[in-house]
Amino acid sequence: MIEWRNLYRGLIMGASDVVPGVSGGTMAVLLGIYERFIDALNGIFTREWKRHLAFLIPLGVGIVAAMVSLAKVINWAFENYPNQILFLFLGLIAGVIPFLANKSNYKETFSGIHYVILIIAAALVGSMALFGEGPAETPVITTYNMETYIKLFLSGWLASSAMILPGISGSFLLLLIGMYSTFTHALENFVFEPLIPLGLGIVFGLLIMSKVLNYLFNKFYYQTYALVIGLVIGSIFVVYPGYESDLMLNIMSLICLIIGLLVAYGLGKIEY
């Protein structure tokens, strides 16, 4: 039976994936479906493929619908109110950490090695903030050949491999390698020629990375949770935009932060 509840979850994940610095994987954690998401991706080619597709289809529809329908809105908001949007997502990300800590039962299950993994993961993701904006002004690709198709495919593969990891933004990596403007332009204008190789790369990356994460959850469950918590904590440093000189804008940012925290708390109560 198709899990239509995943439609709204997909909308949230898709909306976050459009914003550089915000990870769809983090939103999956917030929504309480991260492990199930990994398991479903890993189980597409098993005997239980129908059950896994029943989970993934509405989720995928929501993600694609959000990316296509909200791309212009989010890009407009991100261009005009970047700090406020990032503070909203900052609240969402920070709000999920207590639920992750409770779910992992860290007080009883974590030892020294778990905290080492957590700190290293947080430091690695947090260090991405040092890269700054990256080549955000890279021109949109408008001419296509085999070399371009391969580049688009590899970009999609890289972005989706990161996208599935909490704290690591696929959009941010696209920004760093100069493909973000091409990606958003194709979404906004329904340019299918670049979207097809990008989409194939995204699907391929999700399937490969899901197998890696599924193995880690099966063999090193609490160590993997320490890794996930560290990735989420590290993403706070990447998303944090700093304060502005305008007091009213800072007040708006604070309000967005509080809204994000409240939404995360509400979703956490529902999903966990």
Side-chain angles (χ1 to χ4, degrees):
M1 184 176 180
I2 294 180
E3 301 180 38
W4 289 111
R5 186 182 184 186
N6 280 345
L7 190 62
Y8 95 87
R9 293 165 169 163
L11 289 170
I12 294 174
M13 289 177 65
S16 66
D17 280 327
V18 178
V19 180
V22 183
S23 167
T26 304
M27 294 300 107
V29 171
L30 169 65
L31 294 166
I33 60 169
Y34 187 68
E35 287 182 64
R36 179 72 180 88
F37 179 47
I38 300 300
D39 184 57
L41 287 171
N42 196 60
I44 289 177
F45 299 110
T46 66
R47 292 180 178 178
E48 297 184 341
W49 62 272
K50 289 184 180 180
R51 178 172 65 88
H52 294 304
L53 281 181
F55 176 87
L56 288 172
I57 287 174
L59 193 70
V61 170
I63 290 173
V64 173
M67 283 185 165
V68 172
S69 63
L70 299 178
K72 288 186 178 180
V73 175
I74 291 177
N75 283 334
W76 175 85
F78 197 67
E79 288 174 5
N80 292 277
Y81 301 99
N83 276 37
Q84 289 68 43
I85 293 296
L86 290 176
F87 267 103
L88 175 66
F89 279 104
L90 194 64
L92 290 170
I93 294 168
V96 76
I97 294 174
F99 293 103
L100 274 178
N102 289 331
K103 189 173 175 62
S104 66
N105 197 19
Y106 75 99
K107 290 183 179 179
E108 297 182 9
T109 59
F110 279 20
S111 60
I113 186 62
H114 296 88
Y115 289 107
V116 170
I117 293 172
L118 189 155
I119 291 170
I120 291 174
L124 286 174
V125 175
S127 66
M128 293 180 67
L130 300 176
F131 289 103
E133 290 296 320
E137 299 301 323
T138 304
V140 174
I141 295 174
T142 55
T143 57
Y144 307 102
N145 51 42
M146 185 54 65
E147 181 182 348
T148 305
Y149 293 139
I150 293 173
K151 184 177 181 181
L152 288 165
F153 176 83
L154 293 176
S155 298
W157 184 358
L158 175 66
S160 65
S161 297
M163 194 184 301
I164 202 172
L165 288 169
I168 302 179
S169 167
S171 293
F172 186 72
L173 287 186
L174 286 176
L175 195 67
L176 289 178
I177 63 176
M179 296 298 289
Y180 182 72
S181 55
T182 298
F183 173 65
T184 54
H185 176 266
L187 279 177
E188 291 177 12
N189 298 281
F190 298 100
V191 184
F192 290 101
E193 197 163 3
L195 285 177
I196 291 173
L198 266 171
L200 290 174
I202 287 171
V203 170
F204 192 75
L206 287 174
L207 293 175
I208 296 298
M209 184 57 70
S210 69
K211 291 189 178 297
V212 174
L213 290 170
N214 189 65
Y215 173 81
L216 291 176
F217 272 115
N218 286 332
K219 297 293 184 180
F220 309 100
Y221 185 80
Y222 291 111
Q223 291 92 331
T224 305
Y225 249 103
L227 174 69
V228 169
I229 293 172
L231 293 173
V232 173
I233 291 173
S235 70
I236 291 176
F237 298 96
V238 177
V239 175
Y240 176 68
Y243 291 101
E244 300 176 271
S245 56
D246 189 287
L247 177 61
M248 186 55 64
L249 289 175
N250 286 326
I251 293 173
M252 289 172 60
S253 295
L254 180 60
I255 292 171
C256 288
L257 176 67
I258 294 171
I259 291 173
L261 288 169
L262 292 175
V263 170
Y265 178 80
L267 286 173
K269 282 291 187 181
I270 294 171
E271 300 292 351
Y272 286 89

